[in-house]
Amino acid sequence: MNIMGIDIGTTSVSIVLIEKESGNLIARETAEHRSFLTGGTPEEKIQDPERIYKITKEKTEALIRIYGIPSGIGLTGQMHGMLYVDEEGNAVSPLYTWQDGSGDKLLDSGRSSVQILKEAAGAVSAGYGLATHYYLQKKGRIPRDAKKMTTISDYVGMKLCGRTEPVIGMDMASSWGCFDLEKKEFMYDALKEAGTDISFLPKIRTEHFITGETAEGIPVMGAIGDNQASFFGSVDDLYDTVLINIGTGSQVTFASENYTACNGNLELRPCMKDSYILAGSSLCGGRAYAMLEQFYREVSGRGGGDHYKIMYEQASDFIEQYGVDAAWKVKTTFSGTRSDPGKRGEVAGISTENFHPGALTAGVIIGILDELHQYYIEMCELTGRKAHRLAGAGNGLRKNPLMQKLAEEMFGLRIEIPPYEEEAACGAVRCMKSLCDKSFLF
């Protein structure tokens, strides 16, 4: 029998079919959903949830027609974002993604949603569901027929199973912010005291769970966070491996068997029952490399094609000739950080000897990795231990051997790249399998 894994990403939907016993990949399908909508303000980063569901359903049904009905469907997807549904379980708002900046906009009180909620209920940032919800509430922009909030992947699960009321797992719930991991619930009292309408919050399940069945009788797992899913799908030893994931954004992940209080740029997130992962997320991350490619494209005056091949060759040649230390010193915090949204990137270390495009490109790659490495150092200090294995995921890393080489040098470990590109979807399969047979790994 096969198990299907679905990953609802920021730009695409990835689906895999994996043979349950052997763990072999049977089929894969990735499609860009092109669901971004034009927001009312520059800060709004919103998507069409119905388009995402429609594409997911079409691709899922196409695979089932070819390979037959799977024994289960595992779900994962982009974290932090939220949308509203009515009492029939239909979307009545756009999806406000993790990139949405409304939470940093000043309200009539002269403070932002993030400032108010952070003071009242702890960790929250712009793009987190509760910061967005608070902003929309105070601006009178919650749809009149809205009844509950949910995530995009849980919404897809609801629709696949014909459910009308959302239920979300603890890892998705905690990604909205203002969540007490020790009590495994939202900080309801603090949220109410801050003036948050908590009636929109869905029910929480504290363990991985089956949310329902499709019309064909296929059990569907409640969605897990894409960070957790990528971790499950990329590592073989959960507690001895550090994972760096570089795609549109970038993250570093390290498991912790114990509850560990942290703040600033690190987050403690649920992993499995009574275990956690520490996550450090760059707000720009892999996008910095894409921004540099666009910069070179503008300089050349050519709108078509891409410059990634040239960038790679120039950076590799520069490092071979001059060494890593000669690269420009680039801080790729172009979108700020979780703890300091106003922080911006920096470029330094430019001289007449290293004034080459390859030095800039190499500097950006090193800057992306260095931000993650600094988070990892903090994780080691918090947990009192170091990883002995390094795993790498995400297309930004997978398709860039130079970035892999520099990561190995920086972390002092040989990097292991998973065999399948759809790490999060594969992780959702692993989690679904664990619900079926109570084991975790294939």
Side-chain angles (χ1 to χ4, degrees):
M1 291 292 290
N2 300 326
I3 298 178
M4 180 177 288
I6 303 175
D7 174 25
I8 312 295
T10 306
T11 58
S12 62
V13 175
S14 293
I15 305 174
V16 298
L17 270 176
I18 291 182
E19 206 280 318
K20 183 178 179 181
E21 299 305 323
S22 68
N24 292 331
L25 180 69
I26 304 300
R28 64 176 69 170
E29 179 75 29
T30 296
E32 292 188 6
H33 49 66
R34 304 182 189 278
S35 64
F36 271 102
L37 303 171
T38 301
T41 65
E43 294 82 10
E44 281 192 347
K45 305 298 180 186
I46 55 178
Q47 295 179 335
D48 181 352
E50 289 303 327
R51 177 171 175 78
I52 293 174
Y53 170 66
K54 178 175 179 291
I55 290 172
T56 304
K57 192 170 188 296
E58 288 175 354
K59 298 300 181 182
T60 299
E61 290 176 343
L63 286 174
I64 289 175
R65 283 195 297 270
I66 298 171
Y67 297 98
I69 295 176
S71 59
I73 296 176
L75 272 175
T76 184
Q78 53 177 295
M79 301 167 71
H80 307 302
M82 54 79 67
L83 66 138
Y84 295 100
V85 297
D86 61 18
E87 60 185 10
E88 299 298 324
N90 297 312
V92 292
S93 77
L95 164 66
Y96 293 87
T97 74
W98 62 274
Q99 297 172 323
D100 190 87
S102 301
D104 281 332
K105 292 190 68 175
L106 297 183
L107 299 168
D108 294 339
S109 64
R111 294 193 297 164
S112 69
S113 303
V114 168
Q115 290 172 324
I116 294 169
L117 292 181
K118 188 174 288 187
E119 181 179 310
V124 66
S125 298
Y128 284 28
L130 276 165
T132 306
H133 170 61
Y134 191 91
Y135 172 82
L136 295 171
Q137 176 191 328
K138 294 305 178 182
K139 289 294 184 180
R141 292 177 51 191
I142 297 177
R144 185 171 301 178
D145 48 354
K147 295 297 180 183
K148 294 291 181 182
M149 299 161 54
T150 191
T151 70
I152 183 59
S153 45
D154 284 298
Y155 179 67
V156 168
M158 282 176 59
K159 299 288 282 186
L160 289 175
C161 297
R163 291 180 58 95
T164 59
E165 184 174 349
V167 178
I168 69 175
M170 188 167 63
D171 44 351
M172 281 298 194
S174 65
S175 79
W176 282 349
C178 306
F179 194 88
D180 189 324
L181 279 176
E182 289 187 287
K183 294 182 178 179
K184 300 182 179 181
E185 63 181 28
F186 290 110
M187 299 177 182
Y188 294 110
D189 291 340
L191 286 167
K192 284 193 292 185
E193 188 174 337
T196 311
D197 187 340
I198 63 172
S199 68
F200 290 94
L201 294 175
K203 294 179 182 177
I204 300 172
R205 293 288 296 272
T206 58
E207 297 182 30
H208 299 150
F209 65 101
I210 300 298
T211 192
E213 293 185 347
T214 67
E216 299 84 8
I218 307 170
V220 179
M221 181 184 75
I224 61 174
D226 57 357
N227 181 204
Q228 287 88 338
S230 291
F231 194 54
F232 296 158
S234 301
V235 308
D236 291 321
D237 189 327
L238 291 181
Y239 297 105
D240 198 33
T241 307
V242 57
L243 169 68
I244 54 174
N245 190 321
I246 302 175
T248 304
S250 64
Q251 288 180 321
V252 58
T253 306
F254 194 35
S256 174
E257 296 182 83
N258 303 306
Y259 175 85
T260 304
C262 57
N263 51 38
N265 291 312
L266 297 185
E267 290 183 72
L268 188 71
R269 296 174 176 175
C271 181
M272 296 185 294
K273 183 180 179 181
D274 299 324
S275 67
Y276 308 88
I277 57 174
L278 285 161
S281 303
S282 167
L283 297 186
C284 193
R287 187 156 55 101
Y289 200 63
M291 290 167 57
L292 183 61
E293 190 274 338
Q294 177 63 34
F295 174 82
Y296 286 138
R297 194 186 306 182
E298 291 180 17
V299 170
S300 70
R302 291 182 292 174
D306 66 61
H307 291 67
Y308 288 115
K309 184 175 184 294
I310 298 173
M311 289 165 58
Y312 180 85
E313 291 173 350
Q314 289 178 336
S316 298
D317 290 345
F318 178 86
I319 289 177
E320 183 177 351
Q321 184 173 355
Y322 297 99
V324 172
D325 293 339
W328 293 9
K329 311 306 182 216
V330 182
K331 292 187 177 180
T332 54
T333 51
F334 304 137
S335 300
T337 65
R338 295 290 187 199
S339 61
D340 185 1
K343 187 179 180 65
R344 290 297 177 261
E346 300 176 12
V347 180
I350 306 171
S351 69
T352 55
E353 289 77 20
N354 71 352
F355 200 79
H356 301 282
L360 171 57
T361 302
V364 168
I365 295 173
I366 295 167
I368 292 169
L369 293 169
D370 184 63
E371 187 173 3
L372 299 182
H373 187 249
Q374 293 305 312
Y375 294 156
Y376 169 63
I377 291 174
E378 292 182 45
M379 294 173 181
C380 294
E381 292 172 351
L382 282 172
T383 60
R385 60 188 179 85
K386 294 182 179 180
H388 293 93
R389 303 176 71 174
L390 171 65
N395 283 336
L397 181 66
R398 183 184 289 273
K399 297 180 178 180
N400 194 323
L402 176 61
M403 185 179 288
Q404 296 172 27
K405 177 177 179 292
L406 293 173
E408 289 183 330
E409 292 176 2
M410 191 174 294
F411 282 80
L413 297 166
R414 185 178 65 84
I415 196 165
E416 302 170 22
I417 306 294
Y420 309 133
E421 294 184 13
E422 302 82 2
E423 300 97 352
C426 290
V429 169
R430 286 189 166 193
C431 191
M432 181 67 200
K433 184 176 184 293
S434 74
L435 289 177
C436 297
D437 59 15
K438 303 302 180 183
S439 66
F440 179 63
L441 297 175
F442 289 124

